[in-house]
Amino acid sequence: MQMLAGRVRNVVADALMLFILPVSVALLPWALGFRLLKWVARRESVYRLAVDPAWEAAKAHLVNRDEREWKTRFRLLRLVDHVDVYLTLLRGRNWRARNIDEVGTWPAPGACVFLTYHWGAGNWIWPRLREQGFDACFVMQRPQGRSHGLTRLSHWFAHLRVWCMRRAGSGGVVFTGRSSGEVAAALRSGRSVVGMLDLPARAEQRSEQVDLLAGRVNIPSGLARIGAENGTPIALFSMGLDFESGRRDLRVEALPANLSVQQIAERYAAHLDARLRVAPESWQIWREAPAMFIAGDAWVTQPQPSA
């Protein structure tokens, strides 16, 4: 009986956090909806299974950060990320433009490799790419199990998320794993690809070592390598969240031509490093971050005082 009651609670929690609450907030005026999300984010029981491990991985990098505030912001980011699935369908171009602070220069329309991060709330990028003249597909890992929640409802939400990406402007999804030929073909046809390198590199993947938060990390370099070998323009972008207002902070960085794969990886890591030092709670994959760091390298970001 207790097991059945636990399953029911999990189903109710997923229904509320993945569908009922996000849809309700998306239908409200954004200022009111964001205030509601901030109120929910202060509840310590919300996303506890995701938030506590993220804090344990992140706290070694943080100096004078309040644990309660950090966790509240991490929860808020996750809440906003779920609401954005629906906002991309319910809000138009003018509304988005009023709520995005954009810095940087876009590359010329056409084939481009866009490298981004598990950072902030990035769903709004798909209509923005279309507006800039890019037909871009998304290179992503195949959804695994219940990454968004506790029950099978989270699996359904993952599929809904991909469908909404297409409706919002994505040119489709390319799942990682022997996808290099598909990615190269898309680039040759004039399409663009969007992918993320801020993940632990698997043993079979080609990777590069770069500096991040006073340590050295291994990041997979396959997508950067395909772009470099095909002579395709490469650009970085990240979509941050203002935790006070709910506005978005889009930074675009078109990289110079003819960079080596190592140089691309270094520029990629520098962009992330700058973001992390300002808003570390915006990195969604803190739980996986320890596996990125090379054994023996420093985790702390501040030198220890001498004796």
Side-chain angles (χ1 to χ4, degrees):
M1 184 63 69
Q2 290 181 343
M3 183 178 296
L4 177 59
R7 289 178 178 176
V8 171
R9 284 196 298 270
N10 288 342
V11 169
V12 171
D14 273 358
L16 176 64
M17 304 308 292
L18 299 177
F19 298 99
I20 298 172
L21 176 63
V23 170
S24 300
V25 169
L27 291 171
L28 292 172
W30 180 236
L32 178 60
F34 190 66
R35 284 200 296 271
L36 174 59
L37 293 181
K38 291 171 73 173
W39 179 81
V40 174
R42 290 195 291 269
R43 298 322 186 246
E44 295 185 0
S45 60
V46 173
Y47 299 138
R48 184 185 297 275
L49 294 179
V51 173
D52 288 350
W55 167 255
E56 289 302 313
K59 65 182 182 181
H61 296 284
L62 309 178
V63 179
N64 298 324
R65 291 275 181 168
D66 179 76
E67 178 179 353
R68 181 184 294 272
E69 180 187 30
W70 192 97
K71 288 183 174 181
T72 296
R73 289 187 168 194
F74 193 82
R75 282 190 289 266
L76 179 58
L77 177 72
R78 193 177 178 98
L79 288 164
V80 169
D81 192 56
H82 290 162
V83 173
D84 275 359
V85 171
Y86 306 98
L87 281 178
T88 54
L89 301 179
L90 296 173
R91 305 299 168 95
R93 176 175 182 170
N94 291 337
W95 182 86
R96 287 192 306 274
R98 292 195 302 270
N99 285 278
I100 295 178
D101 298 313
E102 185 174 313
V103 177
T105 303
W106 290 90
C112 182
V113 173
F114 287 99
L115 301 177
T116 188
Y117 309 84
H118 294 84
W119 176 270
N123 277 306
W124 290 12
I125 196 61
W126 299 110
R128 190 72 189 102
L129 286 169
R130 285 284 186 185
E131 291 159 7
Q132 289 295 317
F134 296 100
D135 175 18
C137 58
F138 186 34
V139 181
M140 62 177 286
Q141 292 183 330
R142 192 175 297 276
Q144 298 293 322
R146 298 166 181 175
S147 57
H148 292 283
L150 304 170
T151 69
R152 188 166 181 82
L153 287 179
S154 69
H155 182 70
W156 296 346
F157 178 78
H159 286 281
L160 173 65
R161 187 185 181 99
V162 171
W163 181 82
C164 289
M165 282 168 46
R166 291 178 180 271
R167 291 293 301 270
S170 168
V173 171
V174 176
F175 291 115
T176 57
R178 300 182 179 178
S179 59
S180 57
E182 192 172 349
V183 169
L187 295 174
R188 287 194 297 269
S189 69
R191 302 178 67 203
S192 296
V193 296
V194 176
M196 297 178 283
L197 309 181
D198 55 336
L199 282 167
R202 300 190 303 271
E204 71 274 13
Q205 287 181 305
R206 300 179 74 172
S207 62
E208 303 296 325
Q209 293 186 12
V210 292
D211 293 327
L212 186 70
L213 294 180
R216 294 283 286 177
V217 297
N218 262 328
I219 60 173
S221 58
L223 191 54
R225 191 174 303 278
I226 292 171
E229 290 175 351
N230 284 272
T232 306
I234 297 176
L236 315 176
F237 74 81
S238 57
M239 181 84 79
L241 172 70
D242 184 319
F243 290 101
E244 297 304 318
S245 67
R247 293 181 62 82
R248 309 308 160 91
D249 166 24
L250 173 59
R251 298 186 187 180
V252 183
E253 183 181 349
L255 298 184
N258 301 318
L259 293 182
S260 68
V261 176
Q262 177 65 35
Q263 289 172 323
I264 294 168
E266 289 171 353
R267 295 286 290 265
Y268 179 87
H271 186 118
L272 176 59
D273 190 90
R275 286 294 217 176
L276 282 169
R277 292 180 186 279
V278 175
E281 54 275 282
S282 289
W283 203 20
Q284 297 180 6
I285 63 159
W286 271 113
R287 185 173 185 168
E288 299 180 55
M292 295 172 60
F293 280 76
I294 299 169
D297 274 357
W299 265 91
V300 297
T301 57
Q302 294 293 321
Q304 298 298 313
S306 57

